[in-house]
Amino acid sequence: MRAIVQEAYGPADVLHLAHIARPAISEKEVLVRVHAAGLDRGTWHVTTGLPYALRLVYGIRAPKNPVPGLDLAGTVTAVGAAVTRFSVGDEVFGFGKGPFAEFAAAREDKLARKPANLTFEQASVVPVSASTALQALRAARPITPGQKVLVLGASGGVGSYAVQLAKAAGAVVTGVGSTAKMDLIRSLGADHVIDYTRQDFADGTARYDLILDIAGNPTLASLRNALTPKGTAVITGGEEGGSWTGSMDRQLRALALNPFITQRLTMITSKQRASDLEHLTGLIEAGTLTPVIDRAYPLEQVPDAMRYFDAGKARGKISITIQAPQA
């Protein structure tokens, strides 16, 4: 099969197209003919090998799995002996093992049936980002109608879903992004927008019951200044910090401070669950949640997609188109 592979960590140049064997599947896995895959921040981290601490999990000198990617949407072509939820021919989406390829293995409990109203490209950009947004909202106290929610990084992959999910819960949502992305954030349903190049969200103008800090880098003091006295900040990432631990320094400091303040500072590590995918499917098919795709790249142009992603230009998500469904 055709696949994007990497033999070392580094920038987008380490990625190249190759012909490799199709993956074998275990008794609890299915083989998916991948029609489209999504590009997410985690895939960028594994490609670059940064921060260095993640290499303890993924491989010291190079990724253990040379094929990158996690999000996928496609058609089941084979099932393991213990698989009960899927059959050959089912259209699925979820989390796969290296889906920047024509075929990928995926665990049964990390897949769900593709939402009927989405294309494969649209479905491929849902799993990682939408699940992270859903879990971040669940990590906070339950949202009640009228609560004020601030989403940092509202125009990105996770943020674009977080704005929609918070609005669906009845919150008054403020989205933060760059000047060029104000229109996108408004289109997602945000009640208010903040252009971070012109205004500091922590300038005292408003205070929020919940802040979702998605790949931002505000200080803990800034987060606290923008929270109500009993407010919650959920930190889901951040792209600055040391080369060894990255944003984890800030998250660990937040957890250490938390017992001594009236506000709540917490963090999440996104989990891969079929139950979340099924919940998201219900919202998507009801018209409550819609994927936003900036652009799609063919498989051979994954390095270009990675460069575009790394430049911070993406509005919403990036999809990788791999192969059309068979008639």
Side-chain angles (χ1 to χ4, degrees):
M1 67 175 184
R2 295 187 311 142
I4 293 294
V5 300
Q6 66 176 109
E7 287 87 21
Y9 294 113
D13 295 341
V14 303
L15 302 171
H16 62 92
L17 189 66
H19 284 81
I20 63 175
R22 294 184 187 182
I25 57 173
S26 71
E27 63 177 10
K28 295 184 178 180
E29 292 181 328
V30 304
L31 184 66
V32 178
R33 179 182 176 90
V34 184
H35 303 314
L39 177 55
D40 67 285
R41 177 59 64 178
T43 296
W44 179 88
H45 282 299
V46 175
T47 299
T48 60
L50 296 173
Y52 293 126
L54 69 76
R55 301 187 188 196
L56 298 175
V57 176
Y58 292 99
I60 299 300
R61 298 184 181 279
K64 298 172 185 176
N65 181 0
V67 182
L70 186 57
D71 282 334
L72 65 75
T75 304
V76 175
T77 62
V79 298
V83 171
T84 60
R85 295 176 56 237
F86 301 107
S87 301
V88 172
D90 286 345
E91 296 182 347
V92 298
F93 77 125
F95 308 93
K97 298 178 180 179
F100 286 4
E102 292 179 319
F103 293 87
R107 277 175 42 177
E108 177 185 28
D109 59 356
K110 295 186 178 184
L111 293 174
R113 284 175 172 76
K114 181 180 75 67
N117 58 337
L118 294 188
T119 65
F120 285 103
E121 286 75 15
Q122 290 173 312
S124 74
V125 301
V126 172
V128 171
S129 295
S131 292
T132 300
L134 179 66
Q135 292 167 29
L137 286 168
R138 287 174 172 171
R141 298 180 179 92
I143 294 176
T144 57
Q147 280 192 318
K148 294 181 178 180
V149 175
L150 180 74
V151 180
L152 303 176
S155 63
V158 178
S160 62
Y161 290 113
V163 170
Q164 296 179 73
L165 290 169
K167 279 297 297 179
V172 177
V173 180
T174 299
V176 180
S178 64
T179 306
K181 299 175 181 178
M182 292 292 97
D183 59 332
L184 170 62
I185 297 172
R186 292 188 183 95
S187 73
L188 295 169
D191 300 284
H192 310 285
V193 295
I194 293 176
D195 180 348
Y196 68 75
T197 69
R198 300 179 179 179
Q199 181 184 349
D200 180 2
F201 73 88
D203 63 4
T205 303
R207 291 184 180 271
Y208 304 91
D209 302 295
L210 171 62
I211 297 176
L212 298 183
D213 179 8
I214 302 165
N217 296 290
T219 64
L220 298 184
S222 292
L223 290 176
R224 294 192 61 204
N225 287 341
L227 283 173
T228 58
K230 297 287 186 179
T232 298
V234 181
I235 303 172
T236 68
E239 299 313 315
E240 293 182 3
S243 297
W244 286 96
T245 58
S247 63
M248 286 300 297
D249 288 344
R250 187 168 63 105
Q251 297 179 22
L252 293 174
R253 284 188 284 108
L255 294 180
L257 178 63
N258 193 59
F260 305 101
I261 59 177
T262 60
Q263 297 159 325
R264 181 168 174 244
L265 305 178
T266 189
M267 58 174 280
I268 67 161
T269 300
S270 183
K271 296 179 174 58
Q272 302 169 11
R273 297 187 291 233
S275 58
D276 286 344
L277 295 173
E278 290 166 350
H279 178 76
L280 292 166
T281 295
L283 295 175
I284 290 167
E285 293 184 339
T288 302
L289 194 65
T290 302
V292 177
I293 296 180
D294 180 304
R295 58 184 65 187
Y297 290 82
L299 182 62
E300 61 271 17
Q301 292 181 16
V302 163
D304 292 332
M306 189 69 75
R307 293 184 191 98
Y308 182 75
F309 179 87
D310 192 28
K313 298 177 180 179
R315 296 160 56 92
K317 295 286 295 183
I318 296 172
S319 177
I320 308 301
T321 303
I322 298 174
Q323 50 185 338
Q326 293 180 324

